[in-house]
Amino acid sequence: MSVSSTLFAHGGEAGGPERSGTGPAPGESAFGRPLTGSVHTVAVIGVGYVGLPTAATLAYLGHRVTCGDADPAKVAMLQRGEVPIVEERLEELVREGQAAGNLTFVQGAAAAVTGAEFVFLCVPTPQGDDGSADLSYVEAVAAEISPHLAPGTVIVNKSTVPVGSTLVVERVLGRTDVKVVSNPEFLREGTAVPDSLHPERIVVGADDQAAAARVGELFSGTQAPLLITDAATAETIKYASNAFLATKLSFVNAVASLCEAVGADVRDVILGLGYDRRIGFEYLKPGPGWGGSCLPKDTRALVHIAEQAGYDFSFLKGAIATNDEQFERVVAKVLAAVAPSLPDGEGPAGDTGAGDFGGAVVAAWGLTFKAGTDDLRNSPAVEVALRLAEGGVEVRAYDPTVSVPEGAGSVAVPGFATPDAPGSLLAYPDAYTACQGASAVVVLTEWDEFRWLDFAKVRDALAAPVIVDARNLLDPAQVRRLGFSYVGIGRR
Ligand code: NAD
């Protein structure tokens, strides 16, 4: 059956002041009083950056939620009420759910789905070799849970998946007595808790409108607008959203480059743009390039989806190419900044290939792809740091989420280097130590704490007082007064 898109307003129908189910009693929750509707039994498979906030939110809304994950260490931590990722207030929300008896964690997908009315799939969909989304995790879970599902169960695909994946899951499940629904997720790491408790919209796509409506009803307590579509439309909404955000970031980075060329200041240009409500301020901040676990893979997947369907999405390819240029622009700014400190004969005279900058030491503040998370996946900060290292620069990084054991001096950033490998990425215990003897410091992640450092101390630690601010986080006038040479992105 084809389903036309329908927009519902959640809220009034959700139970109002009446409380049902086992959700926190009025006044018990630190997150305010949830509006609870009817209570359901839910399984969430994969408790990562998406699955865990989703599960904790559903528990907060009063549902009985069992989470299954393949990682035994993660499950053990969560059973103890410890959250394995950096996400503000998530541990509090998880512990509330556990205390209310609404949130439990088990090892493996099959163990979680027994008796569940709804099963949320929140497993990874990484980038495949050809740019397409790799559905192997989704398919593996579907195969694992299929024999354990009760008739009538609704499988809810929250992983970001290409158009047509609902049919793939149906095929792998091989069950005609269960429904598959698409429910893309829009939360942002760093604000996952408020984003999940107060989403801007809930999108549910399915050919079976009744199944989609039942999934929407699970979230009625959030009072978010509910958009019910067919599955292909829901899947497209997710990719189009991320493609738009990536494009907006590439646009503002390109405008920053233009500002540098014509002598304008991008901060004022953004003010002039953002007050126009058609444009807005969100995602209008220049930086070292966009990254993270979603935008790079989702934009490439959409280009691939379009190609498969016979449409050349050259516009989006342009946004991706602009992003790659942005990494290089930031690397070039850093290399130009450290060149004066290098011995004669080295530096950027002409070619700046690998090794040209051997001997240069640069401090890097920030490694995560954005502030408020510990996620290093496809981080632009890491990308820039690694490109600098490839050019022969010794990068000394500091990030508040990368801990250095007491007395260790520095630590290899997990997943990116070994201590003795060339191009090794080392993290230091604090922002000042990372700067010791460096020819410049580059700000790569917008952690607020960087704004409040003692910049006289930073200046004294550096071998040369040079700041490359790839996040436009600092006040140029303030640091220049202290004797720094300051280079931002599109700023005078
Ligand atoms: P993640 O890597 O943080 O979490 C995935 C979890 O799934 C892990 O805990 C892993 O152990 C578990 N898992 C893998 N295979 C399993 C299996 N067979 N059985 C049980 N558990 C298994 O990933 P994520 O960032 O939460 O992303 C999940 C999906 O959500 C992806 O499709 C992603 O594109 C999408 N998404 C992510 C974000 C985000 O900000 N991270 C936002 C929106 C959508």
Side-chain angles (χ1 to χ4, degrees):
M1 182 179 79
S2 101
V3 178
S4 57
S5 56
T6 318
L7 185 63
F8 300 92
H10 265 147
E13 84 279 18
E18 295 302 317
R19 186 177 166 272
S20 61
T22 54
E28 271 178 20
S29 174
F31 296 87
R33 182 184 175 187
L35 281 171
T36 51
S38 52
V39 170
H40 295 280
T41 305
V42 178
V44 174
I45 309 304
V47 276
Y49 289 90
V50 163
L52 192 55
T54 299
T57 296
L58 288 165
Y60 167 80
L61 295 172
H63 303 297
R64 292 179 294 266
V65 184
T66 305
C67 303
D69 199 284
D71 181 343
K74 195 178 263 193
V75 172
M77 272 187 88
L78 287 162
Q79 285 170 339
R80 296 193 298 271
E82 294 165 20
V83 164
I85 56 172
V86 173
E87 192 61 66
E88 199 173 355
R89 298 197 75 190
L90 183 57
E91 192 158 288
E92 207 179 335
L93 192 64
V94 166
R95 288 188 176 191
E96 269 198 9
Q98 289 175 307
N102 281 355
L103 188 59
T104 50
F105 298 93
V106 298
Q107 163 78 46
V113 302
T114 309
E117 298 163 80
F118 299 89
V119 178
F120 282 74
L121 307 185
C122 303
V123 292
T125 45
Q127 189 179 312
D129 294 339
D130 58 356
S132 65
D134 173 358
L135 285 179
S136 58
Y137 291 86
V138 173
E139 293 183 53
V141 171
E144 183 184 340
I145 63 176
S146 177
H148 306 279
L149 299 173
T153 306
V154 181
I155 310 300
V156 188
N157 204 349
K158 217 176 222 322
S159 296
T160 302
V161 289
V163 177
S165 299
T166 303
L167 300 174
V168 173
V169 174
E170 276 171 5
R171 182 178 46 74
V172 176
L173 285 169
R175 298 264 309 251
T176 52
D177 58 345
V178 299
K179 305 284 181 201
V180 183
V181 162
S182 166
N183 170 224
E185 179 54 57
F186 302 99
L187 66 75
R188 298 161 297 174
E189 289 178 25
T191 52
V193 169
D195 288 351
S196 301
L197 294 178
H198 310 289
E200 285 166 341
R201 79 291 208 192
I202 304 282
V203 175
V204 189
D207 290 339
D208 184 324
Q209 188 151 28
R214 286 178 61 208
V215 173
E217 184 61 24
L218 288 175
F219 296 97
S220 62
T222 67
Q223 295 187 287
L226 169 64
L227 181 64
I228 292 186
T229 69
D230 59 81
T233 302
E235 289 159 348
T236 304
I237 288 169
K238 175 60 192 173
Y239 279 108
S241 298
N242 276 357
F244 183 81
L245 296 173
T247 304
K248 202 170 175 188
L249 289 169
S250 276
F251 175 80
V252 77
N253 283 336
V255 169
S257 300
L258 176 73
C259 286
E260 288 173 8
V262 301
D265 191 308
V266 78
R267 268 173 72 95
D268 291 339
V269 170
I270 289 169
L271 280 177
L273 286 169
Y275 278 116
D276 185 328
R277 281 198 298 267
R278 293 170 302 176
I279 299 171
F281 288 105
E282 292 286 321
Y283 273 69
L284 215 55
K285 291 191 183 75
W290 40 265
S293 69
C294 293
L295 296 191
K297 78 172 173 62
D298 292 349
T299 45
R300 283 175 178 82
L302 187 53
V303 165
H304 188 266
I305 291 164
E307 254 160 31
Q308 298 288 100
Y311 175 65
D312 178 12
F313 211 149
S314 56
F315 174 77
L316 186 54
K317 288 180 192 165
I320 294 169
T322 300
N323 197 44
D324 203 54
E325 285 164 20
Q326 190 67 9
F327 298 142
E328 273 311 305
R329 288 183 74 85
V330 173
V331 169
K333 278 176 191 281
V334 177
L335 296 182
V338 298
S341 315
L342 292 174
D344 283 352
E346 295 187 58
D351 181 26
T352 56
D356 284 1
F357 288 83
V361 178
V362 169
W365 286 350
L367 286 172
T368 54
F369 84 98
K370 66 194 276 196
T373 177
D374 57 346
D375 200 345
L376 296 171
R377 291 177 292 180
N378 284 314
S379 167
V382 172
E383 181 67 36
V384 168
L386 291 178
R387 288 185 189 208
L388 286 170
E390 273 166 27
V393 173
E394 182 188 335
V395 180
R396 297 182 184 166
Y398 164 69
D399 189 280
T401 68
V402 178
S403 54
V404 180
E406 187 121 9
S410 65
V411 70
V413 180
F416 293 100
T418 55
D420 302 317
S424 202
L425 191 50
L426 295 180
Y428 286 71
D430 61 71
Y432 303 106
T433 314
C435 286
Q436 205 61 50
S439 301
V441 54
V442 54
V443 183
L444 291 174
T445 308
E446 72 283 23
W447 288 104
D448 196 54
E449 67 176 62
F450 298 152
R451 298 170 63 218
W452 310 110
L453 292 168
D454 177 346
F455 279 90
K457 197 172 158 185
V458 172
R459 180 195 58 207
D460 296 345
L462 287 166
V466 177
I467 296 176
V468 178
D469 184 1
R471 292 285 183 173
N472 288 352
L473 186 72
L474 308 176
D475 178 354
Q478 195 189 354
V479 292
R480 281 179 183 139
R481 266 199 303 277
L482 287 169
F484 282 96
S485 145
Y486 174 92
V487 180
I489 306 285
R491 274 175 112 174
R492 287 198 293 262

